[in-house]
Amino acid sequence: MARKKVKLAWIANDSAQRSTYKKRKQGLMKKINELSTLCGVEACAVVYGPYDPQVPDVWPSPSDAHRVLTQFKSLPEMERNKKMMNQEAFLKERMAKMREQIKKQQRENREFEITQLMNRTLIDGTGQILQNVETKELKDLAWMIDEKMKRIQKRIDSLRSTMESAVQQINGTGIQTTTEMEAAQRQIWGVGNDFANGGMPYADNTP
Amino acid sequence: MARKKVKLAWIANDSAQRSTYKKRKQGLMKKINELSTLCGVEACAVVYGPYDPQVPDVWPSPSDAHRVLTQFKSLPEMERNKKMMNQEAFLKERMAKMREQIKKQQRENREFEITQLMNRTLIDGTGQILQNVETKELKDLAWMIDEKMKRIQKRIDSLRSTMESAVQQINGTGIQTTTEMEAAQRQIWGVGNDFANGGMPYADNTP
DNA sequence: TGATCTATCTATAAGTA
DNA sequence: TTACTTATAGATAGATC
């Protein structure tokens, strides 16, 4: 998440995983503390770390954690399930959001293409094609387009990798959404390729 | 934490608290999901939200949460307490870190003061005072000092507010660290004031 | 109230010591 | 390995609709 966007997948390298675990567990505990303080709610977290599987890391105090958990376990099954979020629901929710983002992106892309077309042919309000545009203006226009293109490419790349992570996770959990996901992927890749090969002045943005 | 650094304290405003709860709970669940995936560990979180105190928000799936919690509760008391982190321990750990930061900052401050003094008198390698320094060089020097001062002031402000939050929390929980904290605070404020009134070309950085 | 935007603040992946 | 730094990805407070 810094210097490089990390893939949401199991870290095979042992020392890297260890380091990530320490950092992220600390971050998580801080977040839970903040949520609890800011909203005045009871909360607890239990994490079985990769070191000693017999001794979990727990927040907050032993007594509080116990009270929270006992309370939780004493609820009738039905009540308990009400607000529970399992991984499948969690991922599906995120997928729905992503699909929305993709649609929005496509709308933006269409708008952009039209604007781009207009800028290329440089038609004025009366339908006249402008012939003798100053060089500086052209340069400014090119720069502006370039900047916009970069922003769009960035967002596309971001969506793409997020999507890939989700696909991996879902495939791993055996959830049957392959068709949907493939369609969504085709949409993203399609858009990405349109821009990558659309005859723009720069060729390749990949490292 | 965005547009304004929020104080780590109970949010009285109801709608604001509600909004914060929703956003942060979502963020927390995402983080737990990531930790679990990246490090391949079992984890769960239970949060009793401000809405319905009977129905907690839970992650991950009901069965997983139960397995994790049952496992946790079945451990002997001693084992369980090993890695548990209660709020007091949590805060004390953070305080220790802060004290370290303060010490470091003070070392940096001393070094800076010396450098600053040297720059003011502009003594060369042979001990001669340089008289006819170019105007541009002086300007550059002033700029550099100015930038450094800003950075230092920023870090001091940051430490100060973090400290204040911690003091608040600790006072609330009745932990007996007043003397220590006051000493630390005096240190920070002292440093802050030294620089604020040290005769530098800008007077006030507070909003 | 809830969804969306965006300027800032925070967390953290890599790098360095 | 742990600690510290830094550049970047991610979270989110407050505003707007």
Side-chain angles (χ1 to χ4, degrees):
Chain A
M1 298 186 178
R3 298 226 181 157
K4 202 181 172 190
K5 188 168 173 178
V6 95
K7 273 181 70 171
L8 191 55
W10 157 267
I11 301 169
N13 181 300
D14 203 56
S15 65
Q17 199 207 75
R18 204 167 248 250
S19 160
T20 291
Y21 178 76
K22 278 190 70 171
K23 286 178 183 176
R24 280 172 172 264
K25 196 204 55 172
Q26 182 179 248
L28 190 70
M29 296 306 179
K30 183 153 179 268
K31 286 283 182 196
I32 253 209
N33 180 47
E34 289 178 354
L35 179 62
S36 175
T37 304
L38 289 168
C39 304
V41 299
E42 294 209 286
C44 84
V46 179
V47 183
Y48 284 85
Y51 307 113
D52 184 350
Q54 289 309 302
V55 185
D57 290 302
V58 179
W59 192 96
S61 72
S63 59
D64 287 338
H66 258 92
R67 189 158 37 68
V68 173
L69 299 185
T70 307
Q71 201 177 341
F72 170 64
K73 292 199 77 178
S74 71
L75 288 176
E77 182 85 17
M78 290 296 286
E79 286 296 304
R80 230 192 281 138
N81 280 299
K82 254 192 199 167
K83 276 198 190 169
M84 268 185 176
M85 177 166 278
N86 58 33
Q87 288 218 17
E88 187 176 326
F90 180 80
L91 289 170
K92 282 196 171 163
E93 210 177 275
R94 301 202 64 197
M95 276 178 54
K97 278 181 190 170
M98 279 191 280
R99 273 196 292 277
E100 269 315 298
Q101 274 205 296
I102 290 163
K103 275 185 193 161
K104 204 167 130 197
Q105 185 66 58
Q106 286 183 315
R107 273 196 299 277
E108 277 183 43
N109 287 346
R110 270 198 295 280
E111 276 174 39
F112 174 74
E113 283 184 77
I114 292 161
T115 309
Q116 186 193 29
L117 207 62
M118 283 182 65
N119 286 340
R120 276 197 181 167
T121 51
L122 293 169
I123 296 167
D124 69 16
T126 66
Q128 285 259 247
I129 292 174
L130 301 174
Q131 295 292 346
N132 298 92
V133 186
E134 289 298 313
T135 306
K136 196 193 168 303
E137 286 176 352
L138 280 172
K139 276 187 183 171
D140 288 348
L141 191 58
W143 178 84
M144 194 197 74
I145 290 171
D146 208 57
E147 288 306 304
K148 287 199 177 185
M149 287 294 293
K150 281 179 193 163
R151 270 184 63 189
I152 290 173
Q153 190 59 51
K154 213 173 163 186
R155 290 177 67 173
I156 288 169
D157 288 342
S158 173
L159 276 173
R160 183 184 295 167
S161 64
T162 310
M163 212 66 171
E164 284 172 343
S165 301
V167 169
Q168 256 189 342
Q169 278 202 41
I170 289 166
N171 286 343
T173 58
I175 300 172
Q176 291 306 317
T177 47
T178 315
T179 313
E180 251 181 10
M181 292 301 294
E182 276 177 2
Q185 273 210 314
R186 247 180 281 116
Q187 286 183 326
I188 301 184
W189 288 86
V191 169
N193 288 336
D194 279 344
F195 279 99
N197 307 321
M200 293 311 288
Y202 48 82
D204 196 0
N205 204 20
T206 52
Chain B
M1 298 180 180
R3 299 223 180 160
K4 203 181 173 186
K5 189 170 172 178
V6 97
K7 274 180 71 171
L8 190 55
W10 156 267
I11 301 169
N13 181 300
D14 204 55
S15 66
Q17 200 207 77
R18 204 167 249 252
S19 162
T20 292
Y21 178 77
K22 278 190 70 170
K23 286 178 181 176
R24 279 172 172 264
K25 195 203 52 165
Q26 182 179 259
L28 190 71
M29 297 305 181
K30 184 156 178 266
K31 286 284 183 194
I32 268 214
N33 180 47
E34 289 178 354
L35 179 63
S36 175
T37 304
L38 289 168
C39 304
V41 299
E42 292 209 288
C44 83
V46 179
V47 183
Y48 283 86
Y51 308 114
D52 184 351
Q54 290 309 303
V55 185
D57 292 302
V58 179
W59 191 95
S61 72
S63 58
D64 286 338
H66 258 90
R67 188 157 39 69
V68 173
L69 298 185
T70 306
Q71 200 177 340
F72 169 64
K73 292 199 78 176
S74 71
L75 288 175
E77 182 85 16
M78 292 295 286
E79 286 297 305
R80 231 192 276 141
N81 280 300
K82 254 192 199 166
K83 276 198 190 170
M84 269 185 177
M85 179 166 279
N86 59 31
Q87 287 217 15
E88 189 176 324
F90 181 78
L91 289 169
K92 283 195 170 164
E93 211 177 275
R94 300 201 67 197
M95 277 177 53
K97 278 181 189 169
M98 279 192 278
R99 273 196 291 276
E100 270 314 300
Q101 272 205 296
I102 290 163
K103 275 185 193 161
K104 204 169 131 199
Q105 184 66 57
Q106 287 183 315
R107 272 195 299 277
E108 275 183 44
N109 287 345
R110 270 198 295 280
E111 275 174 39
F112 175 74
E113 283 183 76
I114 294 162
T115 310
Q116 186 192 29
L117 207 61
M118 284 182 65
N119 286 340
R120 275 196 184 169
T121 51
L122 293 167
I123 297 167
D124 68 15
T126 66
Q128 284 258 247
I129 292 174
L130 301 175
Q131 294 291 346
N132 300 91
V133 186
E134 289 299 313
T135 307
K136 196 194 167 305
E137 286 175 353
L138 280 172
K139 276 187 182 170
D140 287 347
L141 191 58
W143 177 84
M144 194 197 73
I145 290 171
D146 207 58
E147 288 304 306
K148 287 198 175 185
M149 287 293 294
K150 282 179 193 164
R151 268 185 64 190
I152 289 173
Q153 190 60 50
K154 213 172 161 186
R155 291 179 65 172
I156 287 169
D157 288 342
S158 173
L159 275 174
R160 184 184 295 168
S161 64
T162 310
M163 213 63 171
E164 283 171 344
S165 301
V167 170
Q168 256 190 342
Q169 278 202 44
I170 289 166
N171 286 342
T173 57
I175 300 171
Q176 292 305 319
T177 47
T178 316
T179 314
E180 253 181 7
M181 291 302 292
E182 275 178 2
Q185 273 211 313
R186 247 180 281 117
Q187 287 184 324
I188 299 183
W189 289 85
V191 170
N193 289 335
D194 278 346
F195 278 101
N197 308 320
M200 293 311 286
Y202 48 83
D204 196 359
N205 204 18
T206 52

